[in-house]
Amino acid sequence: LIFIISLFLGTTITISSNHWVMAWTGLEINTLAILPLISKSHHPRAVEAATKYFLVQATASTLVLFSSMTNAWYTGQWDITQLTHSTSSLILTAAISMKLGLAPFHFWFPEVLQGSPLTTGLLLSTVMKFPPITLLFMTSQSLNPSLLTVLAILSVAMGGWMGLNQTQTRKIMAFSSIAHLGWMTIILVYYPKLTLLNFYLYAMMTAAVFLTLNSMKVLKLSTLMTAWTKAPSLSTILLLTLLSLAGLPPLTGFLPKWLIIQELTKQDMAPAAMIISLLSLLGLFFYLRLAYCATITLPPHTTNHMKQWHINKPISPSIAVLTTLSIMLLPISPMLAT
């Protein structure tokens, strides 16, 4: 309870601060609060994940502090929105990319997610990404658009390609997260509010998938293939949520992609929009594979596979609400577009 309270405290401090040092303090509290949650199981893999996470986040935090100090040295400003020095904004972009797990600083994220339990994985993919994204949001007018576009396209490409041959659900979700971050980054300079909207919808859909996997106790694809006997309704809902994460109309996940492509076209960035849309097909492939494994009714191999007992446990209200929102929010798009 203390760690979870600290986690939300750190997040709140960062998103509500105007001064760089306060933002940095919030990020540090966040990092220190999530470490015990990652290494809770005392498994060597979990301890390794916590160590990797700590080293990467400490480096990124140092860079955040360094960029803000450089900016203050040259301009005398500690205000987050006044990041006007070009070198500072470059260092900050690298630092936040590291914190978020944007390509080419993404290598730590799948490893850390694979070593953590599913609930901690959910926190790492959603809550822990919110403070860095708000920092990007506040400094968006002084960041380099071409650099962000390159990072974004690279992230969508890496998230798609590296997710293709994974069999562990947590690693697949990690690469999915990297690809989604690419979509958020590409639009950041041109329409920052769209980045936040995309993040909220992504967090909602990811939470739905993680909670569903957690209630079915699924860690790898082979377990997912036999989970349909255990909870058929959950498997069916998971299919739709995964397709929503992939961004297929008429589901919620299509909404941010549609608005981002529309905005990029307005900004004369049709080639970037085309490349990022084609690369998201890679992501669609592994979401489809997950969805196929979730709803397949017979295991694909001939060996006698243990069928799991059907549980008449009601679906938890949080999963019900999140999946409903993850599937049915597209009709509100005119309201958001205006």
Side-chain angles (χ1 to χ4, degrees), residues 89-128:
S89 60
L90 202 65
I91 297 169
L92 182 83
T93 309
I96 300 286
S97 303
M98 232 182 223
K99 275 217 165 288
L100 287 171
L102 265 176
F105 307 104
H106 62 285
F107 290 101
W108 62 274
F109 190 54
E111 297 294 324
V112 170
L113 217 59
Q114 183 56 33
S116 342
L118 279 167
T119 41
T120 312
L122 167 61
L123 288 175
L124 281 169
S125 307
T126 54
V127 179
M128 296 303 289

Side-chain angles (χ1 to χ4, degrees), residues 60-337:
S61 289
T62 315
L63 282 175
V64 167
L65 208 53
F66 178 54
S67 89
S68 54
M69 283 169 69
T70 313
N71 188 61
W73 180 264
Y74 279 101
T75 62
Q77 275 289 354
W78 278 101
D79 198 300
I80 294 181
T81 50
Q82 304 294 319
L83 189 82
T84 46
H85 193 248
S86 56
T87 314
S88 296
S89 60
L90 202 65
I91 297 169
L92 182 83
T93 309
I96 300 286
S97 303
M98 232 182 223
K99 275 217 165 288
L100 287 171
L102 265 176
F105 307 104
H106 62 285
F107 290 101
W108 62 274
F109 190 54
E111 297 294 324
V112 170
L113 217 59
Q114 183 56 33
S116 342
L118 279 167
T119 41
T120 312
L122 167 61
L123 288 175
L124 281 169
S125 307
T126 54
V127 179
M128 296 303 289
K129 304 233 182 236
F130 190 43
I133 281 193
T134 51
L135 287 181
L136 277 183
F137 178 78
M138 286 190 276
T139 53
S140 59
Q141 74 285 351
S142 47
L143 299 176
N144 183 347
S146 44
L147 174 67
L148 285 177
T149 306
V150 170
L151 289 181
I153 290 173
L154 203 58
S155 295
V156 179
M158 295 308 273
W161 265 314
M162 295 175 77
L164 288 179
N165 60 348
Q166 301 298 332
T167 54
Q168 302 284 338
T169 48
R170 284 169 294 185
K171 275 201 170 172
I172 291 178
M173 291 310 291
F175 288 117
S176 133
S177 177
I178 293 167
H180 275 274
L181 282 168
W183 279 91
M184 290 173 221
T185 314
I186 200 163
I187 201 65
L188 181 74
V189 177
Y190 308 104
Y191 201 157
K193 284 182 182 168
L194 209 47
T195 299
L196 282 186
L197 170 73
N198 194 347
F199 177 75
Y200 299 146
L201 294 177
Y202 153 76
M204 198 170 63
M205 295 184 287
T206 305
V209 172
F210 266 112
L211 290 173
T212 308
L213 293 175
N214 189 43
S215 73
M216 287 156 69
K217 301 282 176 284
V218 170
L219 292 178
K220 49 185 191 289
L221 291 183
S222 53
T223 326
L224 190 58
M225 285 180 188
T226 52
W228 65 274
T229 47
K230 197 174 170 186
S233 54
L234 258 184
S235 297
T236 315
I237 290 174
L238 183 63
L239 162 79
L240 285 171
T241 318
L242 286 165
L243 292 181
S244 183
L245 257 180
L248 289 184
L251 305 166
T252 307
F254 177 59
L255 169 59
K257 285 190 166 55
W258 171 29
L259 293 176
I260 287 172
I261 290 170
Q262 187 181 332
E263 188 57 36
L264 285 174
T265 320
K266 281 182 193 166
Q267 300 287 347
D268 286 339
M269 287 180 66
M274 187 179 73
I275 292 168
I276 203 168
S277 310
L278 288 174
L279 286 172
S280 67
L281 291 175
L282 294 167
L284 174 65
F285 179 81
F286 62 75
Y287 289 123
L288 277 175
R289 195 172 61 189
L290 261 177
Y292 176 71
C293 291
T295 49
I296 190 172
T297 47
L298 286 171
H301 39 72
T302 48
T303 52
N304 291 334
H305 213 97
M306 284 291 288
K307 294 281 187 291
Q308 302 195 33
W309 283 95
H310 189 145
I311 304 172
N312 283 330
K313 192 176 67 174
I315 297 177
S316 78
S318 54
I319 296 181
V321 171
L322 284 167
T323 42
T324 309
L325 290 173
S326 307
I327 295 166
M328 298 184 173
L329 275 189
L330 191 66
I332 68 160
S333 50
M335 185 175 84
L336 293 170

